[in-house]
């Protein structure tokens, strides 16, 4: 068999809203129609997504989802984030639409991934192509790193933000002398992100402040760079 292509066909409440959002992410419309049913086809390089409109559709009740395999998780996320900053002045981290950050997935052999939740409530799950991936990082060590890995599975993969919050709050409530300070920053920043998803800006601001005051060595500061980049996006979203 050769040249087979599978294209996701996903529901939404408005194909116009969908097209406008994906244009921000660098997609172009390759086909659209209003009759007999509203429909739009979008493309970004080799990535194709098609959408159909449903009257009365509720994005927060959507089960729409698809996988996007890529060899450049970070590059694609940076491009999407740049588009959001240009269009909205910030990376969308709460509500619908929004985007999560690239993180290693315990339930995907430690390979990275992030999700775009579009205006139709569809989860576009961008994951590292295992056939083109470097060896995954070692299994997280330390209680905070393990708690973070478990929370990512719950919130970023399953969409169970409440359970992820319970995992992180339990870990943060029992500080230990041998906790890795970088892991503590990562947990606090992720907890802030989840607070934003839950429309709890007060908790988000508190977690970001706590992360900022974690004492780090020069080497630890370098290791925590990605977490602090995420914190900056969250702070911008808080306004």
């Amino acid at each position: 068999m050769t040249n087979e292509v599978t294209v996701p066909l996903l529901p939404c409440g408005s194909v116009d809203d969908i097209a406008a959002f994906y244009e921000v992410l660098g997609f172009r419309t390759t086909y659209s129609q209003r009759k007999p049913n509203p429909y739009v086809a979008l493309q970004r390089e080799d990535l194709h997504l098609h959408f159909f409109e449903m009257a009365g559709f509720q994005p927060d009740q959507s089960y729409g989802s698809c996988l996007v395999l890529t060899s450049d998780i970070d590059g694609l996320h940076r491009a999407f984030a740049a588009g959001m900053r240009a269009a909205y002045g910030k990376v969308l981290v709460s509500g619908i639409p929004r985007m999560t950050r690239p993180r290693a997935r315990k339930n995907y052999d430690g390979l990275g991934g992030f999700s775009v939740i579009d205006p139709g409530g569809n989860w576009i799950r961008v994951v590292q192509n295992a056939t083109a991936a470097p060896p995954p990082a070692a299994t997280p060590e330390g209680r905070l790193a393990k708690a973070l890995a478990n929370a990512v599975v719950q919130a970023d993969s399953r969409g169970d933000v409440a359970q992820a919050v319970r995992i992180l709050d339990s870990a943060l409530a029992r500080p230990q002398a041998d906790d890795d300070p970088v892991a503590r920053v990562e947990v606090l920043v992720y907890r802030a992100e989840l607070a934003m998803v839950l429309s709890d800006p007060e908790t988000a601001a508190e977690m970001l402040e706590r992360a900022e005051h974690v004492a780090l060595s020069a080497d630890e500061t370098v290791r925590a760079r990605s977490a602090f980049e995420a914190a900056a996006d969250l702070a911008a979203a808080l306004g």
Side-chain angles (χ1 to χ4, degrees):
M1 295 185 294
T2 59
N3 300 320
E4 291 86 351
V5 176
T6 298
V7 177
L9 180 55
L10 300 166
C12 65
S14 167
V15 292
D16 294 333
D17 290 347
I18 283 286
F21 173 73
Y22 279 99
E23 181 180 350
V24 166
L25 303 187
F27 286 74
R28 62 185 178 88
T29 298
T30 59
Y31 176 79
S32 66
Q33 68 177 39
R34 299 303 306 179
K35 294 181 180 181
N37 58 294
Y39 186 98
V40 65
L42 304 170
Q43 179 180 357
R44 185 187 191 278
E45 299 179 346
D46 294 330
L47 177 53
H48 297 260
L49 297 172
H50 292 198
F51 298 87
F52 61 95
E53 187 175 306
M54 296 176 61
F57 184 78
Q58 298 298 317
D60 60 351
Q61 300 297 315
S62 176
Y63 286 90
S65 183
C66 74
L67 290 177
V68 175
L69 304 180
T70 180
S71 60
D72 189 7
I73 287 284
D74 292 332
L76 192 57
H77 185 272
R78 282 195 300 270
F80 287 175
M84 287 185 177
R85 291 190 187 100
Y88 310 121
K90 60 185 179 182
V91 177
L92 304 180
V93 296
S94 63
I96 298 176
R98 68 181 184 274
M99 181 171 68
T100 68
R101 290 188 66 85
R103 295 186 179 89
R105 301 291 177 87
K106 175 184 174 182
N107 57 335
Y108 192 54
D109 294 331
L111 297 175
F114 71 93
S115 295
V116 174
I117 298 86
D118 70 22
N122 301 294
W123 283 63
I124 312 302
R125 302 173 188 271
V126 183
V127 296
Q128 182 71 45
N129 189 337
T131 61
T139 302
E141 296 183 359
R143 66 178 201 92
L144 290 179
K146 291 177 180 178
L148 179 62
N150 290 333
V152 167
V153 170
Q154 294 299 322
D156 286 12
S157 292
R158 296 187 60 220
D160 191 345
V161 177
Q163 178 60 19
V165 164
R166 285 190 286 270
I167 291 170
L168 297 183
D169 284 350
S170 177
L172 290 169
R174 303 190 309 276
Q176 297 180 11
D178 61 348
D179 283 340
D180 178 7
V182 175
R184 184 169 184 80
V185 170
E186 292 170 341
V187 167
L188 287 166
V189 172
Y190 189 43
R191 179 64 179 87
E193 180 178 324
L194 299 183
M196 294 286 288
V197 175
L198 294 174
S199 301
D200 183 2
E202 292 80 9
T203 297
E206 175 195 344
M207 295 297 163
L208 292 178
E209 183 177 2
R210 289 172 61 181
E212 185 178 350
H213 287 89
V214 174
L216 299 172
S217 67
D219 177 66
E220 289 166 344
T221 299
V222 173
R223 287 172 50 210
R225 180 173 57 191
S226 178
F228 284 124
E229 290 174 353
D233 283 339
L234 294 171
L238 281 171

